Amino acid sequence: MASTADIKNGVVLNIDGQLWSVVEFQHVKPGKGGAFVRTKLKNVMSGKVVDKTFNAGAKIETENVDRRDFTYLYNDGDNFVFMDVADYDQLNVGAATVGDAAHFLLENQQVQIALNNGNPLYIELPASVILEITYTEPGLQGDRSSAGTKPATLETGYEIQVPLFLETGTKVKVDTRTGDYLGREK
């Protein structure tokens, strides 16, 4: 057990059986009354952000979360198989844990996986990845009523909006957080 003095950014707390990561914290000592710690917590699994206040000196339960580098190997039905780059152990991660990251995973891609007691919590991808367009309709000049985008299917099967001038076979940079087109890769 730790106390509120141990709260720092990035520390993971166990509150009512759920894991919460500290995003921000502030120790407050008002002129009247007892000191307290104001925190902003993010749920590790759902991403929900809440504000929570702890009395100074209160006991809190911290959890050990280990972020390690892995290489994505292949998809095995409902599981995604990753290899630890340090000791070459393989780790099966369920599709629910991988979530939207599956739209941007290619074989041999480097990712970070957060582990708690050997259980994978979530996957962190790089901020952007380079993927090839496998199919898109040809864009016609003057065939637009707005900025001019069209749907394009990437090599992972995910569909994004791209400018009209892009063709099948073009490599594009995609934001892994939003799924937005960032530009062509030369």
Side-chain angles (χ1 to χ4, degrees):
M1 291 295 263
S3 73
T4 54
D6 299 319
I7 291 178
K8 293 176 181 43
N9 288 346
V11 169
V12 177
L13 306 176
N14 186 341
I15 302 172
D16 299 328
Q18 292 192 354
L19 298 180
W20 297 84
S21 177
V22 177
V23 178
E24 291 177 21
F25 73 99
Q26 180 182 17
H27 291 277
V28 180
K29 187 166 184 340
K32 184 177 179 184
F36 58 91
V37 179
R38 187 179 296 137
T39 62
K40 185 177 282 190
L41 304 174
K42 180 178 180 182
N43 190 305
V44 171
M45 301 303 283
S46 68
K48 179 181 176 184
V49 177
V50 298
D51 293 325
K52 186 158 176 63
T53 303
F54 297 95
N55 289 331
K59 297 293 180 195
I60 54 173
E61 191 175 341
T62 59
E63 286 288 333
N64 184 17
V65 173
D66 185 22
R67 290 178 179 84
R68 299 200 331 231
D69 292 327
F70 284 82
T71 301
Y72 172 61
L73 297 178
Y74 58 91
N75 184 350
D76 182 23
D78 288 341
N79 287 325
F80 290 78
V81 181
F82 295 87
M83 179 184 69
D84 191 332
V85 296
D87 59 11
Y88 304 111
D89 282 346
Q90 289 190 1
L91 175 70
N92 289 339
V93 180
T97 304
V98 173
D100 289 341
H103 300 309
F104 309 107
L105 279 175
L106 287 176
E107 290 182 7
N108 298 322
Q109 184 174 352
Q110 299 295 316
V111 299
Q112 268 198 340
I113 300 179
L115 301 167
N116 174 253
N117 299 327
N119 297 323
L121 299 174
Y122 58 90
I123 292 178
E124 288 180 15
L125 291 173
S128 63
V129 292
I130 295 161
L131 299 170
E132 185 176 327
I133 296 175
T134 55
Y135 177 76
T136 186
E137 296 284 337
L140 300 173
Q141 187 63 28
D143 181 25
R144 57 177 162 247
S145 59
S146 63
T149 60
K150 62 182 179 179
T153 305
L154 302 173
E155 58 187 307
T156 59
Y158 189 61
E159 192 172 282
I160 64 169
Q161 293 292 320
V162 298
L164 288 173
F165 61 84
L166 291 179
E167 299 173 354
T168 300
T170 306
K171 290 195 178 281
V172 294
K173 195 175 205 178
V174 181
D175 188 326
T176 58
R177 297 168 299 232
T178 61
D180 293 340
Y181 164 83
L182 295 176
R184 277 189 292 187
E185 189 60 28
K186 294 169 180 56

